[in-house]
Amino acid sequence: MPPLDAAKVSTTLEPAVQEPPVNAVPLVDLSGQHAQIAEEVENGFAEVLDAGDFIGGKAVSAFEQEYAEFVGARHCVGTGNGTDALEMALRALRVGLGDEVIIPANTFIATAEAVVRAGARPVFVDVDGDALLIDPGRVDAALTERTRAVIPVDLYGQVAPFEQLPSSLGERGIVVVEDAAQSQGAVRHGRFAGRFGDVAATSFYPGKNLGGYGDAGAVVTDDDGLAESVRLLGSHGSPVKYEHVSFGFNSRLDTLQAVVLRAKLRRLAQWNVERRAAAQVYAELLAGVPDLRLPVALPGNDHVWHLYVVRVPNRDEVLRRLRAEGVGAAIHYPVPVHLTPAMAEFGQGAGQCPVTERAAAEILSLPIFPGITRQQQEQVAGVLLSALG
Ligand SMILES: Cc1ncc(COP(=O)(O)O)c(C=O)c1O
């Protein structure tokens, strides 16, 4: 097979020249985090290799317990990734064929994929114009006799306004699943992300605030029965090897990932402090710039800045300039989920979610990660300001 031609696989938003410019500031730099945990990870990996307990090893149950304690929940059940965690949460709640599940249009496609894979139909609602989180005021109008679940998403690092969802949901037998993939360590009105709704699903994809060195995820809940159902689902419906009591598949937290996640969890609070400090620096450097909208934290939220998302006119041109000058900016997400070809059959086309659609043309994620320096942020701000002219 001939080697891949980088120019052919690049998107139009990537710079034509692939050489990284000097002083590049990446969108995310995980090397500083790794340096802090390298020894612990090496020792932990050596223990797993010695014991040969690659599936369901000791580190998995230790991490599950530690993460449940961190969030303040009774149970954490590790999964292979966050998309499976969402799907298994829905399946454990018996959401499936013929059901409708309300989700925000501004999210990563995985939220919708999990719904479709569980057999249900995603119903997209628009977001609020400031925080770009699900607009709870629009949920009522999207409810039908078939609605069985709502999945608010804690996008960009802050918890969605769960308490503002219609109070009738419970009476109507509609369950609430928190998509907490982007909010590890975030707090809303004193409660940690992962404690909202009936059950939460999270992702430990490497770039997340708490990320593994590969795919990983978890379901978090206070409900003993639900936790048990998710564990069965992720392990071929098998409480004991070769006894299959229910339908299932294979989606468990990998032991080596658990080693990494244990080491990182011990530092998560400090890393989130560093993210908050970096967000504050951007807020100072970018204050009062015409044509630039800074991200908004909802009242009551302790934001953990998984992403720092500003809004600008001429976004694609600004993004080109940033990338050409070595700033690893990105878009989360360039196409609203209801408009992606993969979800076209479930959406109602352009105009269904105007706030999301407008935002998709303006949003721009700036580099943010624990350990980003003020000098790097000044470089980002400098290029951004000159691109805005
Ligand atoms: C909001 C959201 N939901 C779900 C997921 C799915 O997680 P994973 O990539 O681990 O399957 C992600 C992350 O990728 C996400 O950002």
Side-chain angles (χ1 to χ4, degrees), residues 81-83 86 107-108 110-111 153 179 181-182 203 205 208 216 333:
N81 57 69
T83 314
L86 277 169
T107 182
F108 181 54
T111 317
V153 180
D179 182 339
Q182 300 192 3
S203 161
Y205 180 84
K208 300 296 194 227
Y333 296 91

Side-chain angles (χ1 to χ4, degrees), residues 11-57:
T11 73
T12 52
L13 289 173
E14 282 167 350
V17 180
Q18 298 292 314
E19 302 271 313
V22 228
N23 297 328
V25 185
L27 180 69
V28 180
D29 183 352
L30 301 175
S31 61
Q33 291 179 41
H34 179 66
Q36 294 177 47
I37 62 167
E39 205 181 315
E40 229 171 289
V41 167
E42 220 169 280
N43 294 339
F45 280 8
E47 262 179 48
V48 176
L49 299 191
D50 281 347
D53 57 355
F54 301 111
I55 303 292

